[in-house]
Amino acid sequence: MKRKHYFNPRMLLYDFALMGTNAFVPIAVILLTYIFLYFLCFKSQFDSSIYLSMSESVITFIGSWWVFHLMRPIVEDDGGELYLTFPVKRSYLGAFRVVRMWLIYALLLVFYCLGINIISGISVVDLWVQLSIQSMFFICSGFLCVVVTKSASYCWIISAAYAAFYLLTENDHFKFFSIYTLSSRIIGAADFMAAYGFKIILFSIISLVAGQLVFCKR
Amino acid sequence: MSDILSISHLTKRYKKLTALDDLTIELKPGVWGLLGTNGAGKTTLIRILATLMRPDNGEITMGSISWKKPDDVRYVLGYLPQSFGMYRYMSLYKSLEHIAILKGLEGDVLKSEIERVLKLTNLTEQSEKKVKELSGGMVRRLGIAQALLGNPKILLFDEPTAGLDPSERIRFRNIISSVSRDKTVMISTHIVSDVETSCDRVAVINKGKLLAYDSVSAIAQKAEGKIAEIEIPVDRLEEKQKELNVISISDEENGKIKLRYLCDNSDVKIKPTLEDGYMYLTSDFDGNM
């Protein structure tokens, strides 16, 4: 069995090409968020907690956009079942590509965190650990959501509803299921991992495995 | 390796509905038309053959390849789904390249295969166009092109001519006849004329059961002596339709139309067509079910 497509860089390019303009949305949102924060930092009496709240609410959530549009050709588009007739493992079409998307998104977050560090002095490592793990949750749960609902639009609504619920209620209800720290200052990477990180990683792995099982049953 | 696609005692149930009922058939290389009414089980059979679904019972083999190992089957399979709406944002060439890589092709073979299928489907000049810019017929041809990539031994086409204009349907038939050598091609459709013109052999299924499989002429012959024609005034059409097992109605001429229908025993010798044979097999007429 040939498995050369797994690490063929052209396959990654095709994944993005298949998304069309949707491939640029997370990059554009990250860029716009940074520009907004950059200009905001010149404002007098500027509250630095906005860096964290903006990053937590926007940057983590938008990571799932890629996964919705990565899976859409298979689960939603007419004739998407065709992909399942190719000699390609479903673990490649599903979990492998999702994890690869998260790695690319985490790489993108390195640049964002470096930018935030320049304007606010927030530790790059601390911020990156927090944002990349939180975005992992959205990416993995987005995968589960898209294979269950077979609709990128529904997934977008579900993810937005989850984020809105915890951000608007400030973690008052069902706190255990929240991935948000809603802290006004950065928590160190080690403290974040102890308080939130392992729980979020567990949620992400459960979502990824469950999503893959549902996808394999198609 | 044996080239015979052997389907043995295939059964598939959806809760209470039996979509395929103990279906057994041996498909020799050639172009097979899979005929049946809507809900007959055609799509279920095609989806099982395409490894998209597992049967509840039965087995499918082709030489040493067993459908119990879908990964092995996928290397010898080309499939065109009923609708093909992917790759909107990509060029035709890039779409084929993507599929070729997924099919395990690489290097020079990949390039030559893409060029071959583009030529076969007459899409070479459109290869740099984006898929969303192509007409419905061209997208269908792209679907056929991707199925042909890698020169698979089994080709499955699910309702391939649905929504195509007459010229594209003729083009489709020509492509099929040019690529079908040494391959088992199965075309699932309910358009009898497509089967009559493109296929060597026909399998007729109804309510999940295989009613017959044979050459086009042999299936047509099943209705020998069971076809009659009658000329009636147009205003009696409704009444006659209730009375007779009408197969086809001719165009109106001088206020009259000709009905072709199934009957017990016809005195007039009319050469049956595939449509007659198919209707004879699938209708409740004369207890044939």
Side-chain angles (χ1 to χ4, degrees), chain B residues 7-262:
Chain B
I7 300 170
S8 174
H9 303 290
L10 206 65
T11 301
K12 179 72 188 176
R13 292 184 196 89
Y14 302 106
K15 291 180 183 168
K16 284 181 182 172
L17 177 82
T18 305
L20 291 176
D21 191 0
D22 200 34
L23 193 137
T24 298
I25 186 170
E26 289 209 328
L27 304 171
K28 291 174 189 163
V31 185
W32 285 83
L34 183 61
L35 274 179
T37 51
N38 288 330
K42 302 187 300 289
T43 297
T44 301
L45 177 58
I46 288 278
R47 286 177 67 83
I48 289 173
L49 288 173
T51 71
L52 290 167
M53 200 182 264
R54 281 181 188 268
D56 297 326
N57 272 314
E59 62 176 24
I60 310 170
T61 54
M62 189 188 215
S64 57
I65 300 170
S66 167
W67 264 245
K68 284 178 181 163
K69 290 180 178 173
D71 282 346
D72 295 350
V73 178
R74 288 169 188 152
Y75 278 103
V76 295
L77 186 74
Y79 172 60
L80 173 66
Q82 211 162 343
S83 45
F84 183 81
M86 304 107 78
Y87 295 108
R88 282 188 290 264
Y89 307 109
M90 279 164 71
S91 76
L92 204 145
Y93 189 92
K94 293 280 175 197
S95 311
L96 289 173
E97 193 175 52
H98 183 224
I99 293 174
I101 297 170
L102 287 171
K103 283 191 171 188
L105 303 177
E106 55 187 354
D108 291 343
V109 180
L110 182 143
K111 278 186 182 169
S112 64
E113 265 300 285
I114 294 173
E115 277 158 23
R116 182 183 74 87
V117 298
L118 281 171
K119 202 174 165 188
L120 269 171
T121 50
N122 203 16
L123 286 169
T124 309
E125 283 178 20
Q126 276 76 35
S127 64
E128 293 309 316
K129 275 189 184 171
K130 285 199 171 168
V131 174
K132 64 179 179 183
E133 293 165 6
L134 302 177
S135 68
M138 284 181 186
V139 173
R140 208 72 193 143
R141 271 189 274 153
L142 168 63
I144 298 167
Q146 64 75 26
L148 298 174
L149 277 172
N151 206 15
K153 287 191 89 63
I154 306 164
L155 284 167
L156 304 170
F157 297 112
D158 195 3
E159 304 282 0
T161 55
L164 292 187
D165 62 35
S167 63
E168 283 290 351
R169 284 166 73 167
I170 292 166
R171 207 191 290 262
F172 171 77
R173 287 172 200 159
N174 293 339
I175 294 169
I176 294 307
S177 63
S178 65
V179 300
S180 58
R181 213 174 154 184
D182 304 328
K183 292 188 197 315
T184 303
V185 183
M186 185 172 263
I187 301 170
S188 160
T189 183
H190 56 265
I191 304 169
V192 180
S193 62
D194 279 352
V195 174
E196 205 154 29
T197 48
S198 331
C199 303
D200 315 318
R201 298 183 189 91
V202 189
V204 182
I205 60 170
N206 197 27
K207 294 178 184 169
K209 283 188 183 291
L210 180 70
L211 300 183
Y213 72 106
D214 215 322
S215 65
V216 172
S217 58
I219 296 289
Q221 283 303 309
K222 302 261 182 200
E224 175 89 61
K226 304 282 180 189
I227 308 295
E229 284 182 342
I230 183 175
E231 201 171 58
I232 56 157
V234 176
D235 55 9
R236 289 189 64 202
L237 175 63
E238 205 173 321
E239 169 202 335
K240 285 289 174 188
Q241 270 185 314
K242 282 177 191 163
E243 206 177 293
L244 304 168
N245 282 290
V246 177
I247 298 170
S248 62
I249 305 162
S250 71
D251 287 338
E252 185 187 335
E253 209 173 294
N254 301 325
K256 287 190 170 180
I257 47 170
K258 204 184 265 183
L259 300 186
R260 191 180 176 99
Y261 63 96
L262 289 168

Side-chain angles (χ1 to χ4, degrees), chain A residues 3-139:
Chain A
R3 292 276 175 265
K4 289 182 179 172
H5 51 265
Y6 271 73
F7 299 102
N8 185 338
R10 273 153 83 191
M11 295 310 282
L12 181 62
L13 292 177
Y14 281 125
D15 282 344
F16 281 107
L18 271 166
M19 293 184 209
T21 47
N22 285 306
F24 300 103
V25 170
I27 300 165
V29 169
I30 288 176
L31 206 62
L32 288 172
T33 307
Y34 182 74
I35 292 168
F36 174 76
L37 291 173
Y38 182 81
F39 285 107
L40 209 65
C41 77
F42 294 118
K43 213 177 155 191
S44 57
Q45 294 176 322
F46 174 66
D47 179 5
S48 64
S49 67
I50 196 155
Y51 294 118
L52 286 172
S53 56
M54 279 289 283
S55 301
E56 242 192 342
S57 56
V58 179
I59 303 298
T60 56
F61 169 58
I62 203 69
S64 56
W65 186 272
W66 273 344
V67 168
F68 300 153
H69 294 280
L70 179 75
M71 297 306 294
R72 200 182 70 177
I74 303 175
V75 299
E76 194 180 343
D77 283 356
D78 289 340
E81 82 248 33
L82 179 67
Y83 287 99
L84 307 177
T85 67
F86 298 142
V88 177
K89 288 275 180 202
R90 292 196 184 184
S91 54
Y92 168 80
L93 290 172
F96 181 87
R97 295 194 309 156
V98 171
V99 172
R100 188 170 64 182
M101 271 303 162
W102 172 69
L103 288 172
I104 293 165
Y105 193 70
L107 187 68
L108 199 63
L109 289 180
V110 172
F111 297 104
Y112 174 79
C113 295
L114 280 169
I116 293 293
N117 173 264
I118 291 166
I119 56 174
S120 69
I122 291 175
S123 156
V124 175
V125 174
D126 291 345
L127 186 62
W128 181 80
V129 167
Q130 180 177 328
L131 296 183
S132 60
I133 287 175
Q134 286 172 324
S135 60
M136 179 203 284
F137 170 78
F138 276 109
I139 287 169

